[in-house]
Amino acid sequence: MLKKLIHHEFIATGRIFLPLYGAFLIMSVLLRVYMELQNAWSFELPGWLGVIGAVPIILYVLLFIAVLAATVVVAIQRFYKNLMTEEGYLMFTLPVKVHQLINSKLLVAVIWSIASGLVCVASIFILVATPDTFITIGHWWKIIYLSAADQGLYLTGWLAFELIVSLLVGVVGSFIMIYAAIAATNFNSNHKLLMGIGAYVAISIVLQTVSSIVMTVLGMTFSQTLADMLLDSRNYMGFLDMTLWVSTIMSIITSILLYLGTHWVLKHKLNLN
Amino acid sequence: MSWVFQNDRPIYAQLMEQIKRRIISGIYAPGEKMPSVRDLAAEASVNPNTMQRAFAQLEQEGLLYTQRTSGRYVTEDEGRILQMKENLAKELTESYFAAMEQLGYSRIQAVKMIAATEKGEKES
Amino acid sequence: MSAILECRNLVKQYGYFQALKGVNLSIEKGKIIGLLGPNGSGKSTLIKLANGLITPTSGEILINGKAPGEESKKVISYLPDKNYLNEWMTVEQLVGFFHDFYEDFDAHAALEMMARLGVRTGDRLKNLSKGTKEKVQLILVMSRKAQLYLLDEPIGGVDPAARDYILHTIISNYNEEAAVVISTHLISDVESILDEVVFISQGEIVLTSSVDEIREQRDQSVDGLFREVFKC
C-alpha cells in the first residue's frame, strides 16, 4: 500500500515539479545564449531599454526562487490540502495505515528536495560551464583542500558523508516539523492558519531552547576536553566530528518525537470538518 | 404501465396489486418467466427486499411458482388468473357503486348512468 | 444476524455543542436503511464517526465489532456530502486510484456505468458539471462490493432524472450481504427503496422502525410521519 501511495503522490506532485524544472532549465539555456550573444557582440541597450536587457535575468532568478520555494510550498499544500481538507475524506477512508500516509508524503517531499537541489546545480552549470570548468574546479578544490589541511581540517570522504547525513536529517526534520504544525491545525477548526503558524513558531522556540540547553550542558560538562581539542589544532577534526554528530542525533531525536506526535494526532484525534 | 405508489399503504401490498394487474393484462403471460427480484426492484425503484416480500406473497396465493433452479414463473392455471380478473372487476364495480352512493345515486341510478354514458359516447 | 454497525452511548461534542447525545444503534446486513433527520440533526456526524474521520468524545462506534481502522475501511464504501475527490484528476485516473486501493472495486463495472452516462473518462473532474461530478462519485462508491455503504445526502441538489438514476444505481449495485445507510432529509424521494428508517433529531434517535410497519400501523407514509415528528 505504501508503494501505491508513493506512486500516486508522485503523480500528484510531478505535474507541478516537472514542468517547473523544464521551464527553469530551458530558461537557464536561454539566459546562457543571451549572455554569450551579449559577450560576442558586446552590445548594450541604451537608456531605459537597458531595463529590458535585465528581463531574462529577472525571469531566471524568479524561476530559481520558484524551484526552491516549490519544494516547501508543495509539501505544505500536499499535507494540508490532501489530508486536512475535503480531500482527507478520501485519504483517511483508504484502507491504509496512518504512518503510511505520512511516510508517502515525507519520502516524496524529500526526493523532490534533492531533485530541486540537483536541478539548481545543473542550471548553474548550464549558465557558467566551459570546456575546462572541471579542471578549474579541480584546481580550486586542491587549493581549498591544502589550506584547510594546513589549519588541521581534513576534507575527507568521511566528513562529506557526515555533512550529507546531517543535511538529509535536517531536510527530513524540517518537513516533519511542518507536518506537526499542520497536524496541530486539527485542534482549532476556526483559525486553522493562525493555529498552524502558531504551532510552527512554538515548536521552533521549544526546539531551539532545548538544543541550546543541551549544547550548554554538554559544553560545560566536557569543557576541559573541548578546550583541549580547540587548543590543539590537530584535534579540529575531532571537534567538528563531535559537534556534527551531536546536532545530528539531537535532530533525529526531535524529529522522531514530532513524527510520533503527528501520527498520534492523525490516528487518535482526527477531526475533519 | 408505470409503477406508482400511494402513501398510506405498505409498498409490498401495492406491488402485489400492480403485478397482478400485469398478469391479468398479459404483460406477464401464463407460464412466462418473471424478471428477477433485483431487476424488477430496480425497474420499480423499490427495495429488493420489498419486492421479494411481494413475490413471496404472490407465490402463497398461487399466482407465481418457483422452479428450484431456473427461477420464478407465472402460474399456468388460466382459471386462477381469470378468477383473479373477476375479483378485481368486482372490486372496481363495488368501489364505483360506493363512490356513486356518496354522491347520492342509488345502485339502479348508477347502472343507468353507465348505460347513458355509453350511449352518449357512441352517438357523439 | 450480527450487526455490521453498532453505536453504544455514542457522544460527539464540538466545544459546548453536542452533535450526538448518547446514540445507541445497531444496523444489520441485508437492509437499506434511511437515516432521516433535518439539517444539523447529526446525520453527517454519525457517518463521519463510522468512517473514523472524527473521533468520539465518549462511547463507542463499532464496525464488525471493532473500532474504525484499517480493517473497517476495507469494508465500508463511503459517499461524503461534499466534493472530496482531487479536482485535477481525470475520471480514468480516479477509477485507477480506486482500483489500486480497494480490493473490492470493480473497475470494469465502473467504466461501463460511466460510459452509459456519457461521461468522457479523459475529462478532468474540474471540467464536469456539478451533477455529473456527483454521479461520478456515486458510481465509484457503488462499484465496490462493500459490506457497508454509507451514503451521505446522495440525492441532495440533483434534478429528478439524476435522482432516479442514483436510486437505480443504489438498488442494482448493492449486494444482499451488505447494508446500505442513506442519510437524507428528502424522504419522499427515497422512501420506496428503504427497509428501515432511523429518525434522528438534535443528536438523538427518536424512532427506528420498518417502512412497512409505519405504513401498516399508522396508515401514513414515512414522509408524512416525518413531517409530523419534525413539525416546526
Side-chain angles (χ1 to χ4, degrees):
Chain A
M1 282 299 175
L2 181 63
K3 245 184 172 168
K4 289 174 186 167
L5 285 171
I6 290 170
H7 171 76
H8 286 282
E9 190 64 22
F10 267 122
I11 293 175
T13 47
R15 72 198 180 91
I16 295 162
F17 282 110
L18 297 180
L20 191 58
Y21 289 167
F24 181 50
L25 292 176
I26 289 169
M27 192 62 224
S28 311
V29 172
L30 290 179
L31 185 61
R32 178 68 188 268
V33 170
Y34 176 76
M35 290 193 306
E36 292 294 331
L37 288 178
Q38 220 174 18
N39 267 340
W41 299 338
S42 63
F43 66 84
E44 212 162 303
L45 294 163
W48 60 271
L49 279 175
V51 177
I52 296 176
V55 167
I57 298 171
I58 294 172
L59 277 179
Y60 175 80
V61 171
L62 284 180
L63 276 169
F64 199 111
I65 294 170
V67 167
L68 293 181
T71 56
V72 178
V73 173
V74 170
I76 293 175
Q77 192 249 9
R78 282 301 294 168
F79 201 84
Y80 180 71
K81 186 152 180 284
N82 196 228
L83 294 183
M84 308 305 285
T85 65
E86 281 86 358
E87 290 179 21
Y89 281 64
L90 177 63
M91 299 312 288
F92 281 108
T93 48
L94 295 177
V96 298
K97 296 193 171 68
V98 171
H99 68 77
Q100 291 174 327
L101 288 175
I102 304 175
N103 292 349
S104 63
K105 304 246 178 278
L106 183 60
L107 190 77
V108 172
V110 169
I111 288 173
W112 284 121
S113 304
I114 296 170
S116 292
L118 294 178
V119 167
C120 287
V121 171
S123 157
I124 290 168
F125 261 91
I126 291 173
L127 275 192
V128 301
T130 53
D132 49 352
T133 298
F134 285 100
I135 301 170
T136 321
I137 290 176
H139 180 67
W140 278 103
W141 172 246
K142 212 175 235 171
I143 295 175
I144 293 169
Y145 181 83
L146 288 177
S147 55
D150 233 21
Q151 304 292 319
L153 205 61
Y154 299 97
L155 304 177
T156 55
W158 174 246
L159 186 66
F161 169 74
E162 283 176 317
L163 284 172
I164 288 171
V165 168
S166 100
L167 187 69
L168 211 57
V169 167
V171 171
V172 172
S174 44
F175 282 125
I176 292 178
M177 206 164 126
I178 291 171
Y179 293 168
I182 293 174
T185 63
N186 189 52
F187 289 115
N188 190 334
S189 51
N190 298 323
H191 308 283
K192 285 194 177 292
L193 185 65
L194 211 64
M195 188 72 197
I197 294 172
Y200 191 82
V201 171
I203 294 170
S204 316
I205 291 173
V206 169
L207 286 191
Q208 241 155 45
T209 315
V210 170
S211 78
S212 50
I213 290 171
V214 170
M215 284 301 188
T216 316
V217 169
L218 280 180
M220 274 163 42
T221 318
F222 300 104
S223 58
Q224 194 50 48
T225 336
L226 286 175
D228 285 350
M229 278 179 164
L230 283 173
L231 283 175
D232 184 352
S233 63
R234 278 168 303 178
N235 262 333
Y236 270 169
M237 287 309 289
F239 180 71
L240 198 63
D241 241 19
M242 199 187 73
T243 353
L244 264 177
W245 281 117
V246 167
S247 66
T248 303
I249 287 167
M250 272 187 44
S251 177
I252 290 174
I253 293 170
T254 53
S255 296
I256 290 174
L257 290 178
L258 286 174
Y259 181 97
L260 292 177
T262 307
H263 183 263
W264 178 77
V265 171
L266 297 186
K267 190 166 167 67
H268 298 292
K269 293 286 156 196
L270 191 64
N271 271 307
L272 295 183
N273 42 331
Chain B
M1 229 186 254
S2 68
W3 303 84
V4 181
F5 303 104
Q6 258 84 52
N7 278 337
D8 50 356
R9 284 178 311 132
I11 289 167
Y12 79 90
Q14 300 186 47
L15 278 174
M16 283 172 64
E17 277 165 24
Q18 295 186 38
I19 293 171
K20 279 182 189 172
R21 279 168 189 268
R22 275 156 213 248
I23 293 174
I24 291 167
S25 61
I27 294 178
Y28 304 135
E32 195 188 324
K33 188 169 194 259
M34 287 293 287
S36 73
V37 168
R38 180 187 285 265
D39 287 348
L40 204 57
E43 188 195 312
S45 286
V46 298
N47 186 305
N49 294 324
T50 312
M51 187 59 83
Q52 175 68 42
R53 188 172 173 188
F55 272 14
Q57 293 270 82
L58 289 169
E59 240 170 72
Q60 267 191 354
E61 292 183 14
L63 288 166
L64 300 180
Y65 68 95
T66 304
Q67 230 156 33
R68 200 169 298 154
T69 47
S70 55
R72 220 177 241 103
Y73 293 82
V74 181
T75 180
E76 281 153 15
D77 182 353
E78 298 194 21
R80 176 78 186 80
I81 295 173
L82 197 67
Q83 179 200 344
M84 180 173 71
K85 186 175 176 176
E86 276 167 10
N87 282 345
L88 197 65
K90 263 184 208 155
E91 268 174 42
L92 275 174
T93 315
E94 282 302 331
S95 66
Y96 167 73
F97 281 139
M100 290 301 277
E101 214 163 307
Q102 277 192 334
L103 293 176
Y105 290 88
S106 72
R107 291 202 164 207
I108 294 175
Q109 283 171 318
V111 172
K112 277 181 183 161
M113 181 68 84
I114 293 175
T117 311
E118 173 74 3
K119 206 176 159 195
E121 267 176 11
K122 267 183 188 159
E123 279 168 5
S124 64
Chain C
M1 211 189 254
S2 67
I4 174 88
L5 173 72
E6 200 172 3
C7 305
R8 293 183 192 146
N9 291 318
L10 187 64
V11 174
K12 179 64 188 176
Q13 193 140 0
Y14 292 107
Y16 293 109
F17 173 67
Q18 265 198 336
L20 291 180
K21 304 168 182 166
V23 165
N24 287 296
L25 183 67
S26 177
I27 283 172
E28 287 168 0
K29 285 185 187 175
K31 298 250 168 87
I32 303 183
I33 294 111
L35 182 60
L36 312 178
N39 288 325
S41 53
K43 303 188 295 285
S44 290
T45 305
L46 185 57
I47 288 181
K48 280 163 75 176
L49 281 164
N51 279 298
L53 295 174
I54 50 179
T55 18
T57 308
S58 68
E60 283 186 303
I61 185 158
L62 304 171
I63 315 295
N64 274 338
K66 278 193 270 179
E70 203 190 348
E71 285 307 309
S72 74
K73 287 164 189 178
K74 279 183 192 163
V75 301
I76 296 180
S77 193
Y78 169 46
L79 180 74
D81 60 344
K82 42 185 92 184
N83 294 323
Y84 69 117
L85 301 173
N86 293 279
E87 290 275 305
W88 54 268
M89 284 174 100
T90 64
V91 173
E92 199 176 2
Q93 282 177 320
L94 284 166
V95 170
F97 189 93
F98 269 65
H99 180 69
D100 267 1
F101 287 103
Y102 295 112
E103 280 170 21
D104 58 3
F105 182 74
D106 186 344
H108 183 72
L111 288 172
E112 210 174 75
M113 273 193 273
M114 302 280 186
R116 214 181 310 140
L117 264 185
V119 176
R120 285 192 304 265
T121 50
D123 281 355
R124 289 183 193 283
L125 206 57
K126 65 174 169 219
N127 296 329
L128 301 180
S129 72
K130 187 166 171 279
T132 312
K133 236 183 256 183
E134 287 185 7
K135 284 180 200 160
V136 167
Q137 294 194 4
L138 183 82
I139 289 174
L140 290 171
V141 167
M142 292 311 296
S143 297
R144 288 182 56 196
K145 287 269 163 275
Q147 292 177 28
L148 177 60
Y149 297 88
L150 297 172
L151 313 177
D152 200 354
E153 298 283 0
I155 52 165
V158 299
D159 58 80
R163 185 201 60 208
D164 285 350
Y165 176 79
I166 287 171
L167 295 182
H168 192 272
T169 309
I170 294 172
I171 297 171
S172 48
N173 283 283
Y174 109 100
N175 56 79
E176 284 79 0
E177 292 301 300
V180 182
V181 175
I182 301 174
S183 123
T184 186
H185 60 279
L186 304 167
I187 292 152
S188 57
D189 288 343
V190 297
E191 180 162 353
S192 65
I193 73 161
L194 301 178
D195 283 293
E196 288 180 2
V197 293
V198 175
F199 280 15
I200 181 167
S201 168
Q202 298 178 0
E204 281 171 304
I205 292 190
V206 291
L207 176 101
T208 56
S209 172
S210 85
V211 174
D212 284 342
E213 234 168 65
I214 290 176
R215 285 170 171 257
E216 261 163 34
Q217 292 171 3
R218 303 176 196 245
D219 289 340
Q220 66 185 147
S221 66
V222 175
D223 190 41
L225 179 64
F226 183 83
R227 281 163 204 269
E228 205 177 284
V229 171
F230 294 103
K231 199 156 50 189
C232 298

